[in-house]
Amino acid sequence: MKLYQRIFIFLIFSLSMTLLNAQNAGFSVQGVVQNDTKQGLGGVNIFVENTKIKTQTDQNGNFRMSYRKGEAVLVFSLEGYKKFRKKINFGSEGSPVNIQLTEDQAVVEEVTIHGKGKVKALQDGAFTVNAIDVAKLANTTADLNQVLNRTTGIKVRQQGGVGSDYNFSINGMSGKAVKFFIDGVPLEMLGKGVDLSTLPVNIADRVEIYKGVVPIHLSTDAMGGAVNIITPGSSRNYLDAGISIGSFNTQRINLNGQFKDDKTGLIMRINSFYNHSDNDYTMKDMKIWNAAQNEYQPRNVKRFNDRYQSVFGMAEVGLENKSWADSFFLGMSQSVFDKQIQTGSNQEVVYGGVKQNGAANNYFLKYKKANLFNGHLDVNVYAGFSRSVQKATDTLMRKYSWDGTFEPSATSEKGGRSIIMQHEDRLYSQVGATYKIVDHHKLIFNYVVDYLKNTTFNQLEERKEDVSPAKMTKQILSMAYQQDFFNKHWTNIFFAKYYKVGLQKMVFDPVTRTDNPAKDNFSSWGYGFATTVRITRGLGVKGSFERSYRLVEPQEIFGDGVAVTSNMNLKPETSNNVNVGLYFNHHWGQHAFRVEGAGYIRDTKDFIYTVPNLYNSTFKYENLSNIYTRGLEGELSYQYKRLLNVLMNVSYNKAYDNTKFANNSEDVISATYKKDVPNQPWLFGNVNVSIGKDDWLQKDSRVEFYYGLQMTEWFYKNWKTYGNPRNIPIIPRQTLHNIGISYSMKNGRYNVALDVTNVGDALAYDNFKLQKQGRAFYIKFRYLLK
């Protein structure tokens, strides 16, 4: 019997037992539990007094409980809040119950350590996930990429300074196999000037990093995992403004805020930021021609064509807690970026005039409503349209050296004089629904339609009107069934995804030597499950499996006009992903301890990989047949009161080519068979320590010191079977140290922070051995009103 048949039979059996139990259920009551700021409280324990009947609220504070007809007293309890009792009449038709819990100030400090908030609830859930409380890091000068690079299993390799391209890896899977979202919406909808390297930490409340298996509500074709940035969801008024300045003329400004009119209930939100950096850091030991000595000599020089700046603004207006909608918002955003290009994949080739700029507009609608159909159905809808224009300029007929000098050339810097224009229109819509069958059993649905039209042309040779646009339509239908047993000590999630993509593109015909329109379609089913068992209060195990497909992305097919060349022959990749994990929490007094370990396997077919073109320093995405990846990771954290925090993690990842025969032959064994995939770190880790003290220098203040260590073991730059075995290029081991101090006054209203990165000014390498910046200093001033 096939795997999917067994899963189907098990689902039918489970569903039948659920419906049978439902027939014997009594009367029910539903409602929501909130704090004093109207935020839903997840993990609240609810039980009928003097009975063993109990339940818990979901992550939004919603609950539903069944009991026999008549009056009963419900007891609501959550660590850090005062216990609350309310008499309920089961069986009478009434409006949903609204419960508000108040903080118990006597235990607030202890709850800071032990409380099971949304971050800890995610970590203990069925999926393998890192959940980071970014709000605690809002005073640092780091961007989101730098914050996530400290976490277990994550490796961010940026090719330069602020605004440069980067490779984000989760458990060895990188590139487009990892998807990025903001509140469940693809980050690409906001434009190229908005990514993890430019987003300020202040914009996020927390970040969820899913490894391997991705939950249904994101409904994506990611195989390596997904990053979901969660913005603050409170209904209260606030203003958060910050400015950071530092080395290499780096400036970062952000302004976020929300205002609610109590009379009309109208809510207005704004999120905005500005980034600028000259990125003129020192490149060490670069080869410069010395005419007097008639030889190349190593010199330290500054980057001179690497300035970056971007501006982003987003405004929303809407309503919350209405009879027809829990949340309804209309919004728009605009982003603009201007970027000089210093190098490509090979830093021996340097550019002096290549640049890229662009702008994007986005218009969207968001709608949520819970507890429809007598509390059984929750609905979530998003619809958005974005339009972007990008321009890549390469017109100088020169060949530059690292000292800024140049010589006339017969071609442009990248090999073909061009002004590449890219016009993209994108329509993205998502409908999600959760249906609660009975307590602890629910069905989850999600449907996504993603349509993109891309028109790319060389402005020096063509007009937009004369170019046929390429079009891509993705559809992903996701379904899941979740069951919770033994008061959520055992949770199972079974899911299936239907992938469909249609591609209309221009393909070169070698016979007629012309580009002709062609269509390409792909569709298939994926499936999987996730499970977690909480053995004791602090000990649990989890596991997940998924057969997943990763559809091709627009940039991989069409290129970006600068660093990525097109490849119209790319195929979707598929992978079988397995994850297992173990976690243990323990606290005694005001000490808290957590250890977590996980292992994973990725068996990938038609693996899509970035391949450098050494002749013009560009990249190209290609299918590299089969790649087998396995790895281990571990994390240990310790906290004492609000005084000391220690976090240590280590990750081991081994990926190798699992294609035995080259070029579809039956007797020629591939030279890279069973060899490690190059340009991919296989061992890395982090140590982060922070020490803080409240009311040290003055009342309602806090001072905090931070130290971070990042270690990356050496790894091969190229396939080790190519070239002289004694002279295979490697990227050497790197150990970087970072320190920082922050000071807050008036309970966090006024804040100042100073950070020093790469304290030892070590030679830092990254993707394809491209040098990163050395020692740098940053200072940040932040004002928070709430």
Side-chain angles (χ1 to χ4, degrees), residues 120-171:
K120 187 172 180 296
L122 283 167
Q123 292 175 326
D124 294 351
F127 296 100
T128 302
V129 57
N130 285 355
I132 304 171
D133 189 353
V134 182
K136 296 179 179 179
L137 306 172
N139 288 336
T140 68
T141 64
D143 56 44
L144 284 178
N145 253 347
Q146 293 168 329
V147 170
L148 300 186
N149 198 31
R150 306 168 186 168
T151 60
T152 312
I154 308 302
K155 196 62 182 174
V156 182
R157 292 179 290 152
Q158 199 155 355
Q159 295 178 16
V162 177
S164 64
D165 293 336
Y166 59 88
N167 180 288
F168 191 101
S169 172
I170 299 179
N171 289 159

Side-chain angles (χ1 to χ4, degrees), residues 544-592:
S544 59
F545 165 80
E546 180 180 25
R547 178 171 178 80
S548 176
Y549 289 87
R550 208 274 281 178
L551 309 178
V552 292
E553 290 293 316
Q555 187 186 53
E556 296 172 330
I557 295 179
F558 310 132
D560 67 353
V562 179
V564 181
T565 57
S566 65
N567 183 1
M568 293 294 189
N569 298 316
L570 269 184
K571 298 182 293 184
E573 59 183 4
T574 181
S575 182
N576 294 324
N577 300 329
V578 178
N579 301 273
V580 293
L582 172 76
Y583 65 87
F584 175 69
N585 301 298
H586 182 67
H587 56 83
W588 62 100
Q590 294 178 331
H591 302 264

